[in-house]
Amino acid sequence: MASGPGEACVVVDPGQDAVDPLEKLLAEHGLTPVAVLLTHGHFDHTFSVAPVCDGHDVPAWIHPDDRDMLADPMKGFSREAAAFFGGRIELREPREVRTLDDGAALDLAGLRFRVDHTPGHTPGSVIFTTPTEEGVEIILAGDTLFEGSIGRTDLPGGDPAQMMASLRDKLLTRDDTAFVLPGHGPTTTIGRERATNPYLQGLQLPTRGRGL
């Protein structure tokens, strides 16, 4: 994510096979990474974090409750899923890891990101929010909110009650115009999900955060 071509940028959730496509994208647009932001610790979002960070000498930012998964991704797997991978995936932390606090503000690559801790999918799940020049919020939602769905809560560390609280208190409080970039699948808006996402129907707020 960058303010424009030829600028500094942040990389978000570099998963499997991300290194080569990312390097091509950076070269094509003349971008220089200054940090990697991680929405949570599952390996499909962190698999390439060490080579990306160490290759560009930049830090990774992650919530402390998910940090252990950087070096031991099997902590985020069910027993059955772990068996599928032979019981082990070997990863390592980048050289520099910084931890995220709920409500923190990060000034990176000429952009300001607000950090909101949204446990439920994992204990250390977070979302990042940055405003456009027009004042519309862009939400990097990780695996907390998808178009028409929400993140699963049946993996180790998942918690359905925490997920519902995170959705209610950290996402449904936003304006309907807020633009959501999920960790998987199509983009959406808070207004669209408020109106159509079946998992959110019982969490509607009376008036707070709604667009005009």
Side-chain angles (χ1 to χ4, degrees):
M1 193 167 190
S3 57
E7 302 291 342
C9 72
V10 295
V11 176
V12 182
D13 288 357
Q16 305 102 303
D17 303 319
V19 175
D20 288 344
L22 174 63
E23 292 303 322
K24 291 177 182 176
L25 188 68
L26 295 174
E28 179 183 352
H29 297 284
L31 301 173
T32 303
V34 297
V36 173
L37 302 180
L38 300 172
T39 61
H40 64 292
H42 283 159
F43 88 104
D44 58 327
H45 293 252
T46 67
F47 192 88
S48 298
V49 65
V52 171
C53 285
D54 294 352
H56 292 276
D57 195 24
V58 300
W61 291 84
I62 190 168
H63 192 276
D65 289 348
D66 275 14
R67 180 171 180 170
D68 286 352
M69 283 190 274
L70 291 179
D72 187 4
M74 305 314 290
K75 289 185 176 181
F77 280 84
S78 65
R79 184 176 301 175
E80 294 77 13
F84 179 80
F85 290 100
R88 195 74 194 159
I89 294 177
E90 296 289 344
L91 294 179
R92 64 176 179 83
E93 279 196 359
R95 285 192 296 263
E96 184 178 1
V97 178
R98 301 180 185 180
T99 53
L100 298 163
D101 296 320
D102 185 37
L106 302 178
D107 291 303
L108 300 167
L111 303 168
R112 168 158 282 210
F113 296 90
R114 187 176 82 236
V115 180
D116 284 290
H117 185 205
T118 54
H121 181 60
T122 66
S125 287
V126 300
I127 60 174
F128 300 98
T129 305
T130 187
T132 66
E133 291 182 357
E134 295 75 26
V136 175
E137 287 187 325
I138 298 176
I139 302 171
L140 307 174
D143 286 1
T144 298
L145 178 65
F146 304 123
E147 182 191 39
S149 190
I150 60 174
R152 59 189 295 180
T153 58
D154 60 334
L155 296 174
D159 187 306
Q162 285 188 329
M163 174 64 87
M164 292 299 107
S166 293
L167 292 164
R168 182 191 65 231
D169 299 337
K170 300 296 180 71
L171 283 158
L172 284 180
T173 53
R174 310 300 182 91
D175 194 89
D176 283 350
T177 61
F179 197 67
V180 180
L181 301 177
H184 305 274
T187 59
T188 185
T189 64
I190 291 296
R192 183 182 305 157
E193 298 313 301
R194 194 194 309 277
T196 64
N197 191 317
Y199 295 93
L200 304 185
Q201 298 311 298
L203 299 176
Q204 297 286 24
L205 301 178
T207 57
R208 185 182 174 191
R210 303 219 178 177
L212 298 178

